Amino acid sequence: MANLSYIGLGMMGGRMAARLLSKGHAVTGYNRTRSKAEALAGDGLRIAGTPREAAAAADVTFVMVANSEALKSVADGGDGFIAGLSAGKMIVDMSTVSPALSRELASRVRGTGADMVDAPVSGSVLTLEQGKLSIMVGGDRATFDRLKPLLEDIGPKVTYVGANGLAVSMKIATNISVAVQMLAFAEGVLLAEKSGIPRQTAVEVMTHSAIGSPMLQYRGPFVLQMPGEAWFNTTMMQKDLRLALEMGRELGVPLPTTSTTNEWLTATRAIGLADDDFAAVFQALARAAGEQR
Amino acid sequence: MANLSYIGLGMMGGRMAARLLSKGHAVTGYNRTRSKAEALAGDGLRIAGTPREAAAAADVTFVMVANSEALKSVADGGDGFIAGLSAGKMIVDMSTVSPALSRELASRVRGTGADMVDAPVSGSVLTLEQGKLSIMVGGDRATFDRLKPLLEDIGPKVTYVGANGLAVSMKIATNISVAVQMLAFAEGVLLAEKSGIPRQTAVEVMTHSAIGSPMLQYRGPFVLQMPGEAWFNTTMMQKDLRLALEMGRELGVPLPTTSTTNEWLTATRAIGLADDDFAAVFQALARAAGEQR
Amino acid sequence: MANLSYIGLGMMGGRMAARLLSKGHAVTGYNRTRSKAEALAGDGLRIAGTPREAAAAADVTFVMVANSEALKSVADGGDGFIAGLSAGKMIVDMSTVSPALSRELASRVRGTGADMVDAPVSGSVLTLEQGKLSIMVGGDRATFDRLKPLLEDIGPKVTYVGANGLAVSMKIATNISVAVQMLAFAEGVLLAEKSGIPRQTAVEVMTHSAIGSPMLQYRGPFVLQMPGEAWFNTTMMQKDLRLALEMGRELGVPLPTTSTTNEWLTATRAIGLADDDFAAVFQALARAAGEQR
Amino acid sequence: MANLSYIGLGMMGGRMAARLLSKGHAVTGYNRTRSKAEALAGDGLRIAGTPREAAAAADVTFVMVANSEALKSVADGGDGFIAGLSAGKMIVDMSTVSPALSRELASRVRGTGADMVDAPVSGSVLTLEQGKLSIMVGGDRATFDRLKPLLEDIGPKVTYVGANGLAVSMKIATNISVAVQMLAFAEGVLLAEKSGIPRQTAVEVMTHSAIGSPMLQYRGPFVLQMPGEAWFNTTMMQKDLRLALEMGRELGVPLPTTSTTNEWLTATRAIGLADDDFAAVFQALARAAGEQR
């Protein structure tokens, strides 16, 4: 069993740490809001006071935070995890940040003698709990080979994508479809409903048809009943689309449905649903279709 | 076993007729291009010379043609199927036409003492051959109940949606996502590829991730290798989006990703790919991203 | 002075008839709602009971109606203007309909020995009253030459565009920008306003800048105060965009900003502003940006 | 006559410096590429070796550089213009950067006892040479009043918009329409052309119609003949749209036509036209419509 740390114990990170504990690994955890770490103490989580302590305590440190700023704040400075690294240690960064930032961070990690891979996931809380999460990995091939068994303790599909930064590129490229599929689904549901089909029937038919991706199968029903806690909120989704749009601009790839959907996420936030699951884009479209809310 | 006819023996219709024959039903077939009917003679298909003959010969007549014009041409006139109807017969129209046309046709069918349901399918040739096709049905509930066992011989998921015309409405609402998911997927593949990820890796990762709908699982790989024969060509796909856009305009539902995608299907046709599978929208986007072709 | 008729005495047609009367021409008028014709009796308008009577009474008959259906209803049948035509007469159709319909009508007019040009205008009630209207003409060159002085009595810029149907094509191509410029303007005004600039200042600065087209100079201020009567309502504007989108589909021209704007006109109608001037698209966008209304 | 400096002597800045010299002012100039400054020596321009020298030499220093990075590079450090400021001096920043950066810079300028306004312009080289440039000003009202006569030596329309940063906000909000109007115009020209109207006729009719903004009157003809030197290149235009899109996201304003147009500017750059005038978006659309190039 391995000696691990997990930095960032949010909705996904916390569940992954718990999963690693359940597989018998020793896990030290760090979270900015300490209570989230304490909630896992009963499962055996040791609590670190700083990211540095977490990294110093483990052979492999997982990181999953919300955005570039959060990643910098746990990586840098005297208390940052880079300060806790030394030769042979490994960082598995599961955050979705820009590929450029990921590569830059990997390079700094390597400066300490440690190594880093970017390993974002595709899937939701549900997919994770079902043990079906896909993990994409970017970085050195040999490091990937060493980490693979550990990653398979989190999810069954672990794919080596290429050099550092490419896994986040792949994740961002995939997440385009997460957002766009949801808006196209919303268009269909509203069209069916205004035609005279009950909303619930429309959702059932569509999620069970050829367009019913795993994502739509769990998120499609949110247009009938929003979840108590956002699985992935509108602000976070828009952060990912913004990364995609920046990449498209830099690499010369026009992104017509991505850019269109991004503006509807702005509209979703504008009506006060920034912290709701981004399935709330349905509400923004329904409002534009004349619904009161 | 039932006494059936099938009008329109194209890529989907022909396979459905063959499937009904294989289940032991008597099937009479009509196709404008007679050779397609003859190809099924070996499977036991009897050949009708006109749609009227086909309808006169059967208790239940299935129809699946390409568009409104084709539907009118097989329904109307002295040789049309309406002229072959009488009390107790049933029409199962699997074509995707406008809900208004479908309702109007059902009303005329009823004038002969027969009845009609609209029963479009969601899925592809592959889904059909795997016996996994979904069928939505609009029309009289009692007629639906009588037809249900027969429809289950074609595909396992048969859903009653509501009154006449609502099944085509549901189909059109669903098909929005077929087109939009493909374009969003293309955006992601190109973004990944220009980031340095092999196109094939990108396709594999994405089709196996949370966005991998059944449709993307079979059609996504078309961006690596187009099929010899289009499963659903660009012109047909655009016909469905146009129906959706007309409905959106009439019912007051803005369709942002639908309208965006529709223009890219125009671009696909403009570069000569009208008769290719609409996965060719990838080629149109790649060209806009600077690729030569 | 010429012997004229005018069929369709709406907001634009009525003012053009009055203008022709003021230039000394004899004008007979027909309008479906007779009271609009009677309102011009004081200016010297003779009133015809049917389109046929109007055409029979004049050497040149102008037509300006709202859409294809209205055009067919004044052209066809025993009371239609075609029935009132004979060799040497001329029809000047100022309606915006599809180029195909315009060509078909011209052909039928020619069957009577008369001739027809399509002559849609660019500009508004204000442009017309200022005597600055642009008129595009499609049809036979010799017929154009004979009509030109008469058209110059309506507006100073009369341009021969080419064969029948091409002037409406040109008009539709131009009207794309009328709608799109308005939505882009709305985006700018809202962005400025949410930045802290008073809406009125934003409108003034923008309409007086390099983007201030004549159209924006008169219609831009409508976002501050809507006119009592729509100059060109949302439904009419959307009719023109739909013609453009159909042409784009047929001719293979992707229309990205046109299609985007068309969906926002749907949103405008969906919140009850179908009969308002289409500047109301600003209201639809403001609503999507979180404003209550 | 005033004692002035001008930092950034590009296409617009150089001509403004020349204009100020022609009005009799003493002008010191700085440009990163020194040859552009030397080209104006014959008109009386004194040349500064650093931005600091330029600012130290003058009462009022104008700045017009390409983007945020360029602005920081001329403002900061030992050679930056901030180091050359002292009480009573004024900075007139005509660059288009983010409102946040503009406000931050103004605050640092004020720390030296000097003051700063943001004063972006609306218009082109042509507008400038015709003496018709519009200037929007953001900053302290009293400072504006002192600068106004000087600004009127550059262009006749000088508008006080509000506090620091609001003039760049206004500029960015306006520039949305510059880009979008061009793409909508391109859509119309291609639609007219594929209908059978010569491209030149379409351009003439449209630029002289109600949609013919001053911008379209000079840039519309670029679709017939691109200028030797870009008036405003695709990369610069996209920089401005990106600022608008960031503001929209932050302020909660969906920007449908802006985001759509931005992707077509990406397509324009992807086919190698990044340094051409952004009217080249016409070429990108024509390519998507099937034209070879």
Side-chain angles (χ1 to χ4, degrees):
Chain A
M1 291 299 99
N3 189 22
L4 312 175
S5 278
Y6 211 113
I7 294 172
L9 302 164
M11 206 165 183
M12 290 293 282
R15 279 173 176 80
M16 287 199 237
R19 193 168 179 91
L20 290 165
L21 285 164
S22 77
K23 298 279 180 174
H25 300 292
V27 186
T28 300
Y30 169 80
N31 198 68
R32 195 176 44 175
T33 309
R34 191 183 172 95
S35 57
K36 291 199 181 166
E38 286 163 354
L40 291 162
D43 295 329
L45 188 84
R46 294 175 217 160
I47 299 180
T50 63
R52 176 184 189 154
E53 272 182 46
D59 298 317
V60 178
T61 298
F62 294 81
V63 184
M64 190 166 195
V65 294
N67 52 35
S68 300
E69 290 63 43
L71 184 57
K72 287 177 193 163
S73 84
V74 295
D76 296 345
D79 287 340
F81 67 72
I82 292 178
L85 294 175
S86 54
K89 288 181 187 281
M90 287 176 280
I91 293 286
V92 178
D93 182 17
M94 308 187 100
S95 316
T96 304
V97 295
S98 78
L101 176 61
S102 184
R103 278 191 290 269
E104 183 209 315
L105 185 61
S107 160
R108 290 171 56 211
V109 164
R110 241 168 249 133
T112 69
D115 198 5
M116 174 180 133
V117 297
D118 44 308
V121 300
S122 165
S124 63
V125 168
L126 181 65
T127 330
L128 168 59
E129 289 184 343
Q130 292 171 335
K132 292 186 182 166
L133 210 62
S134 298
I135 308 177
M136 302 164 257
V137 185
D140 182 68
R141 180 87 211 195
T143 303
F144 166 76
D145 289 337
R146 289 170 60 201
L147 288 167
K148 199 177 175 214
L150 209 49
L151 292 169
E152 286 171 341
D153 279 345
I154 296 176
K157 280 182 274 181
V158 177
T159 309
Y160 180 70
V161 173
N164 275 103
L166 290 187
V168 274
S169 293
M170 192 68 246
K171 166 69 183 286
I172 293 165
T174 303
N175 263 16
I176 284 175
S177 285
V178 173
V180 175
Q181 286 191 359
M182 191 65 215
L183 179 52
F185 179 82
E187 294 174 29
V189 171
L190 283 167
L191 198 58
E193 187 174 41
K194 289 221 185 181
S195 297
I197 298 162
R199 190 179 290 187
Q200 184 159 348
T201 304
V203 169
E204 277 169 21
V205 170
M206 287 169 69
T207 53
H208 290 88
S209 77
I211 64 154
S213 61
M215 186 281 293
L216 284 179
Q217 292 198 345
Y218 59 74
R219 185 166 270 117
F222 290 1
V223 309
L224 302 169
Q225 172 73 48
M226 288 293 279
E229 186 183 2
W231 287 25
F232 195 58
N233 73 31
T234 310
T235 299
M236 292 291 283
M237 186 75 250
Q238 196 165 34
K239 184 205 69 167
D240 284 11
L241 288 198
R242 188 188 176 195
L243 289 171
L245 290 164
E246 283 300 300
M247 285 170 62
R249 199 177 53 81
E250 284 161 19
L251 299 170
V253 183
L255 300 174
T257 67
T258 312
S259 55
T260 297
T261 302
N262 188 46
E263 298 307 310
W264 282 93
L265 292 181
T266 292
T268 308
R269 290 171 41 246
I271 58 171
L273 305 176
D275 297 331
D276 285 48
D277 189 273
F278 77 88
V281 73
F282 177 84
Q283 309 300 332
L285 191 66
R287 195 167 190 263
E291 266 186 37
Q292 293 305 322
R293 52 152 293 130
Chain B
M1 291 299 98
N3 189 22
L4 312 174
S5 279
Y6 211 113
I7 295 171
L9 301 165
M11 207 163 184
M12 290 293 281
R15 280 173 175 80
M16 286 199 237
R19 193 169 179 89
L20 289 166
L21 285 165
S22 76
K23 298 279 180 175
H25 299 293
V27 185
T28 300
Y30 169 80
N31 198 69
R32 194 177 44 177
T33 309
R34 192 184 172 95
S35 57
K36 291 198 182 167
E38 286 162 354
L40 291 164
D43 295 330
L45 188 84
R46 293 176 219 160
I47 300 180
T50 62
R52 177 184 186 155
E53 273 181 47
D59 297 318
V60 177
T61 298
F62 293 82
V63 185
M64 190 166 196
V65 293
N67 53 36
S68 301
E69 288 65 39
L71 184 57
K72 287 176 194 165
S73 84
V74 296
D76 296 345
D79 288 340
F81 67 73
I82 292 178
L85 294 175
S86 54
K89 290 182 186 280
M90 288 177 277
I91 293 286
V92 177
D93 182 18
M94 308 187 99
S95 315
T96 305
V97 296
S98 77
L101 175 61
S102 185
R103 276 191 291 267
E104 183 209 315
L105 184 61
S107 161
R108 290 170 57 212
V109 164
R110 242 170 248 132
T112 70
D115 199 6
M116 175 180 131
V117 297
D118 43 307
V121 300
S122 164
S124 63
V125 169
L126 183 65
T127 331
L128 168 59
E129 290 184 342
Q130 292 171 336
K132 293 184 182 166
L133 211 61
S134 297
I135 307 177
M136 303 164 255
V137 185
D140 182 67
R141 180 86 211 195
T143 303
F144 167 76
D145 290 337
R146 290 169 61 200
L147 288 167
K148 199 175 176 215
L150 208 50
L151 293 169
E152 286 171 342
D153 279 344
I154 296 177
K157 279 181 275 181
V158 178
T159 309
Y160 180 71
V161 173
N164 274 104
L166 290 186
V168 275
S169 293
M170 192 67 247
K171 165 71 183 287
I172 293 165
T174 304
N175 262 16
I176 284 174
S177 284
V178 174
V180 175
Q181 286 190 359
M182 190 67 216
L183 179 52
F185 179 80
E187 295 173 29
V189 171
L190 283 168
L191 199 58
E193 187 175 42
K194 289 223 185 180
S195 297
I197 298 163
R199 189 179 290 187
Q200 183 159 352
T201 304
V203 169
E204 277 167 22
V205 169
M206 287 168 70
T207 54
H208 290 88
S209 77
I211 63 153
S213 61
M215 188 280 294
L216 284 178
Q217 293 197 347
Y218 60 73
R219 185 165 270 115
F222 289 2
V223 309
L224 303 170
Q225 171 73 47
M226 289 292 279
E229 188 183 3
W231 289 23
F232 195 57
N233 73 31
T234 310
T235 299
M236 292 291 284
M237 187 76 249
Q238 195 165 34
K239 183 204 68 165
D240 284 11
L241 289 199
R242 189 189 175 197
L243 289 171
L245 290 164
E246 284 299 299
M247 285 170 62
R249 197 176 55 80
E250 284 161 20
L251 299 170
V253 183
L255 299 173
T257 68
T258 312
S259 56
T260 297
T261 302
N262 188 46
E263 298 307 310
W264 283 92
L265 293 181
T266 292
T268 307
R269 288 171 44 245
I271 57 171
L273 305 176
D275 297 330
D276 286 47
D277 189 274
F278 77 88
V281 73
F282 178 84
Q283 309 300 332
L285 191 66
R287 194 166 189 262
E291 266 187 37
Q292 292 306 321
R293 54 153 288 133
Chain C
M1 291 298 100
N3 188 22
L4 312 175
S5 279
Y6 211 113
I7 294 172
L9 302 165
M11 207 164 184
M12 291 292 283
R15 281 173 175 80
M16 287 199 236
R19 193 168 179 91
L20 290 165
L21 285 165
S22 76
K23 298 279 179 174
H25 299 293
V27 186
T28 300
Y30 168 80
N31 197 68
R32 195 176 44 176
T33 309
R34 191 182 171 96
S35 57
K36 290 199 182 165
E38 286 162 354
L40 291 163
D43 295 329
L45 188 83
R46 294 174 217 161
I47 300 181
T50 63
R52 176 183 187 155
E53 272 182 47
D59 298 318
V60 178
T61 299
F62 293 81
V63 184
M64 190 165 196
V65 292
N67 53 36
S68 300
E69 289 64 41
L71 183 56
K72 287 176 194 163
S73 84
V74 295
D76 295 345
D79 287 341
F81 66 72
I82 292 179
L85 294 176
S86 54
K89 288 182 187 281
M90 288 177 278
I91 294 286
V92 177
D93 182 18
M94 308 187 99
S95 316
T96 304
V97 295
S98 77
L101 175 61
S102 185
R103 277 191 290 267
E104 184 208 315
L105 185 62
S107 160
R108 289 171 58 211
V109 164
R110 242 169 247 134
T112 69
D115 199 6
M116 176 181 131
V117 297
D118 44 307
V121 299
S122 165
S124 63
V125 168
L126 182 65
T127 331
L128 168 60
E129 290 184 343
Q130 291 171 336
K132 292 185 183 169
L133 210 62
S134 297
I135 307 177
M136 302 164 257
V137 184
D140 182 68
R141 180 86 211 194
T143 304
F144 167 75
D145 289 337
R146 288 170 59 201
L147 288 167
K148 199 176 177 215
L150 208 50
L151 293 169
E152 286 172 341
D153 279 345
I154 296 176
K157 278 182 275 181
V158 177
T159 309
Y160 180 71
V161 172
N164 275 102
L166 290 185
V168 274
S169 293
M170 192 67 247
K171 165 69 182 286
I172 293 165
T174 304
N175 262 16
I176 285 174
S177 286
V178 173
V180 175
Q181 287 190 359
M182 190 67 215
L183 180 52
F185 179 81
E187 295 173 29
V189 171
L190 282 167
L191 198 58
E193 186 176 42
K194 288 223 184 180
S195 297
I197 298 162
R199 187 178 292 186
Q200 183 159 352
T201 304
V203 169
E204 277 169 21
V205 169
M206 287 169 70
T207 53
H208 289 88
S209 78
I211 62 155
S213 62
M215 188 279 295
L216 284 178
Q217 293 197 345
Y218 61 72
R219 184 166 269 117
F222 289 2
V223 309
L224 303 170
Q225 171 73 48
M226 289 292 280
E229 187 183 2
W231 288 24
F232 195 57
N233 74 30
T234 310
T235 298
M236 292 290 284
M237 187 75 249
Q238 195 165 32
K239 185 205 67 166
D240 284 12
L241 289 198
R242 190 190 175 196
L243 289 172
L245 290 164
E246 284 299 300
M247 284 171 62
R249 199 176 53 80
E250 285 161 19
L251 299 170
V253 183
L255 299 174
T257 66
T258 312
S259 55
T260 298
T261 302
N262 188 45
E263 297 308 309
W264 282 92
L265 292 182
T266 292
T268 308
R269 289 171 43 244
I271 57 171
L273 305 176
D275 297 331
D276 284 48
D277 190 275
F278 77 88
V281 74
F282 178 84
Q283 309 300 332
L285 191 66
R287 196 166 188 262
E291 265 186 37
Q292 292 306 320
R293 55 153 288 132
Chain D
M1 290 301 98
N3 188 22
L4 311 175
S5 278
Y6 211 112
I7 294 173
L9 301 164
M11 206 163 183
M12 291 293 282
R15 280 173 175 78
M16 287 200 235
R19 192 168 179 91
L20 290 165
L21 285 165
S22 77
K23 298 281 180 174
H25 300 292
V27 186
T28 300
Y30 168 81
N31 198 67
R32 195 177 44 175
T33 308
R34 192 184 171 94
S35 57
K36 290 199 183 168
E38 286 163 353
L40 291 163
D43 295 329
L45 188 84
R46 294 174 215 161
I47 299 181
T50 63
R52 177 184 187 155
E53 272 181 46
D59 298 318
V60 178
T61 298
F62 293 81
V63 184
M64 190 166 196
V65 294
N67 52 36
S68 300
E69 291 62 42
L71 183 58
K72 287 176 194 164
S73 84
V74 296
D76 296 345
D79 287 339
F81 67 71
I82 293 178
L85 294 176
S86 54
K89 288 182 187 282
M90 287 176 279
I91 293 286
V92 177
D93 182 18
M94 308 187 99
S95 316
T96 304
V97 296
S98 77
L101 175 62
S102 185
R103 278 190 290 267
E104 184 209 315
L105 185 62
S107 160
R108 291 170 56 212
V109 164
R110 241 169 248 131
T112 68
D115 199 5
M116 174 180 132
V117 297
D118 44 308
V121 299
S122 165
S124 63
V125 168
L126 181 66
T127 331
L128 167 59
E129 290 184 344
Q130 292 171 336
K132 292 183 182 169
L133 212 61
S134 297
I135 307 176
M136 302 164 256
V137 185
D140 182 70
R141 180 87 210 194
T143 304
F144 167 76
D145 290 337
R146 288 170 60 203
L147 287 166
K148 199 175 177 215
L150 208 49
L151 293 169
E152 286 172 341
D153 279 345
I154 296 176
K157 279 181 274 183
V158 177
T159 310
Y160 180 71
V161 173
N164 275 102
L166 289 186
V168 274
S169 293
M170 192 67 246
K171 165 70 183 285
I172 292 165
T174 303
N175 263 14
I176 285 174
S177 284
V178 173
V180 175
Q181 287 191 359
M182 191 66 216
L183 180 52
F185 178 81
E187 294 174 29
V189 171
L190 283 167
L191 198 58
E193 186 174 42
K194 289 222 185 181
S195 297
I197 298 163
R199 188 178 291 186
Q200 183 159 351
T201 304
V203 169
E204 277 168 22
V205 170
M206 288 169 69
T207 53
H208 289 89
S209 77
I211 64 155
S213 61
M215 187 281 293
L216 284 179
Q217 293 197 345
Y218 60 75
R219 185 166 271 117
F222 289 3
V223 309
L224 302 170
Q225 171 73 48
M226 290 291 281
E229 187 181 4
W231 288 24
F232 195 56
N233 73 31
T234 310
T235 299
M236 292 291 284
M237 187 75 249
Q238 196 165 34
K239 185 205 69 168
D240 283 12
L241 289 199
R242 189 187 175 197
L243 289 171
L245 289 164
E246 283 301 299
M247 284 169 64
R249 200 176 53 80
E250 285 161 19
L251 299 170
V253 182
L255 300 174
T257 67
T258 312
S259 55
T260 297
T261 302
N262 189 45
E263 298 307 310
W264 283 92
L265 293 181
T266 292
T268 307
R269 288 171 43 245
I271 57 170
L273 305 177
D275 297 330
D276 285 48
D277 189 275
F278 77 88
V281 75
F282 177 84
Q283 310 298 332
L285 191 66
R287 195 166 189 264
E291 266 186 38
Q292 293 306 322
R293 53 152 291 129

